[in-house]
Amino acid sequence: MIKNDKTKGIIYIIISAFFFALMGLFVKLSGDLPTIQKSFFRNAVAMIFAFVLITKNKEWALPKGKNVSYLLIRAIAGTGGILCNFYALSNMNLADASMLNKLSPFFAVIFSLFLLKEKANFKQIFAVTLAFIGALFVMKPTFSFEGIPAFMGFIGGMAAGLAYACVRKLTQNGFKGNLIIFYFSAFSCVTTLPWLIIDFTPMSASQWLYLILAGLSASGGQFFITRAYSKAPAKEISVYDYSQIIFTTLLSLVVFGDLPDAFSFVGYGIIILAAVFNAWNSLKKKA
């Protein structure tokens, strides 16, 4: 049985990365649908999933005090992050959009410095930066960014980082992870519902299936990333979120037959090196 909270946090964030990679795959397979529509169904499934878990575990509670503010920021940032990410994926090169979204762990560290007063040393910042460089090798962005899609992708990565920092603060304050997921998903569904009604596009049976699977995958990702940031500071575990790139590449190989090139393997090595360096540095501090 794993007793170390940091080790649990690392395992949880890697599992969440796998689920989010699955979510991206299913969103991609759902085809040409409005961004709002994809976002709504993704969050609707997550809301139902969280509702069942909360009811089963009898965890119902209303946020109080400063938790209200952190929960609202998490909901707004999370909703904005999803919409921006889906918009970028639909309107620009997939590698470029993914690279911008992978700014979220970096921003999670930055926002944690201000929101949680968690101090990061040079080695921790270096590990996150190194992992980001590895991500660039894997995704090979062309940097041919034009206008709004690139800006939205950048904002999406920043918003996701802010959301994860708020998750850490809420769980530190004793607010249950399933409640965070439920309130965030419910907020997202309510705020996007009017646009969904106005611009609803009929879907085939396969599109319904893919969006439901995307929602279930997102639920798994949210559940485990919430657990991860409740166990350890973002500065110590956010680097492991880059494992999503490896999962995404493997899924692309299996589903679409895309074979990684030499640059991708260089990226894998850099990402693994960053993770090992970060883990070694943390263990050395405790020794």
Side-chain angles (χ1 to χ4, degrees), residues 54-248:
I54 293 169
T55 302
K56 179 182 177 181
N57 298 329
K58 298 180 180 179
E59 294 177 333
W60 286 108
L62 292 173
K64 297 178 181 179
K66 291 185 178 181
N67 282 348
V68 176
S69 298
Y70 287 118
L71 191 61
L72 183 60
I73 295 172
R74 191 271 179 268
I76 295 173
T79 300
I82 291 172
L83 291 174
C84 290
N85 182 34
F86 283 9
Y87 181 86
L89 286 170
S90 300
N91 293 279
M92 63 186 295
N93 180 277
L94 180 61
D96 290 339
S98 298
M99 184 274 284
L100 290 170
N101 185 249
K102 282 292 93 185
L103 289 169
S104 58
F106 180 73
F107 281 114
V109 174
I110 294 175
F111 285 120
S112 292
L113 299 179
F114 296 99
L115 288 177
L116 311 182
K117 308 302 181 184
E118 294 178 349
K119 297 181 180 179
N121 60 40
F122 172 78
K123 291 180 179 180
Q124 290 164 333
I125 295 174
F126 174 75
V128 174
T129 304
L130 188 63
F132 179 69
I133 293 172
L136 295 180
F137 272 93
V138 175
M139 293 176 290
K140 297 169 290 295
T142 63
F143 294 102
S144 58
F145 297 157
E146 293 182 10
I148 296 177
F151 177 73
M152 296 292 276
F154 179 84
I155 295 299
M158 189 188 329
L162 175 58
Y164 296 151
C166 288
V167 166
R168 170 73 174 160
K169 184 64 176 179
L170 285 163
T171 53
Q172 282 183 339
N173 291 345
F175 206 68
K176 298 292 185 180
N178 290 331
L179 285 171
I180 297 173
I181 296 172
F182 175 80
Y183 283 123
F184 153 61
S185 300
F187 175 90
S188 182
C189 286
V190 170
T191 53
T192 56
L193 182 59
W195 285 271
L196 174 71
I197 295 173
I198 294 172
D199 192 31
F200 181 80
T201 299
M203 298 187 294
S204 65
S206 61
Q207 287 177 315
W208 276 99
L209 176 61
Y210 286 135
L211 286 184
I212 290 173
L213 289 173
L216 290 173
S217 299
S219 299
Q222 287 181 337
F223 175 80
F224 281 105
I225 203 166
T226 299
R227 292 291 299 274
Y229 284 121
S230 71
K231 295 296 182 181
K235 65 182 181 182
E236 295 185 358
I237 66 172
S238 62
V239 66
Y240 297 95
D241 190 35
Y242 283 94
S243 60
Q244 181 182 336
I245 301 165
I246 298 174
F247 293 133
T248 300

